[in-house]
Amino acid sequence: MNSVTFYQGSVKEHISNSEDVLAFLLATIFNMYGPIAYNTHNVPEKGNSLLVKMLKSFGFQDLYTDEGIKLEQVFMKKQL
């Protein structure tokens, strides 16, 4: 195992301690695989605010270009 990539993660809305549950799941993953590369792609903060908050609490950081522009994926749609 060289790396783990997070694409999505959530806890059902009716779970009262959803932050604790998500923190436990993430900690379990980090402890299971040890010191390898962890990254995430295409996890917008909108709709994933708890996951983004938890990942940042575990040390994940936003990435920026050399010019200081935050790297974000953009969804584009063209009406034909």
Side-chain angles (χ1 to χ4, degrees):
M1 178 73 67
N2 295 327
S3 67
V4 171
T5 301
F6 294 95
Y7 288 101
Q8 59 185 335
S10 63
V11 178
K12 295 283 186 180
E13 292 175 4
H14 71 277
I15 304 296
S16 62
N17 61 340
S18 57
E19 190 168 334
D20 294 333
V21 171
L22 192 54
F24 173 79
L25 293 172
L26 292 173
T28 300
I29 291 168
F30 296 144
N31 289 328
M32 184 183 314
Y33 297 113
I36 60 172
Y38 295 92
N39 54 70
T40 184
H41 301 284
N42 196 26
V43 179
E45 193 156 0
K46 182 179 179 182
N48 297 292
S49 59
L50 180 58
L51 176 61
V52 170
K53 175 184 172 185
M54 296 305 303
L55 289 172
K56 286 182 176 181
S57 76
F58 277 97
F60 281 73
Q61 300 175 5
D62 294 321
L63 292 178
Y64 294 85
T65 66
D66 292 338
E67 294 80 22
I69 300 168
K70 185 177 176 183
L71 292 175
E72 297 179 300
Q73 184 168 1
V74 177
F75 176 78
M76 298 175 73
K77 182 178 178 180
K78 181 177 180 177
Q79 190 71 26
L80 298 176

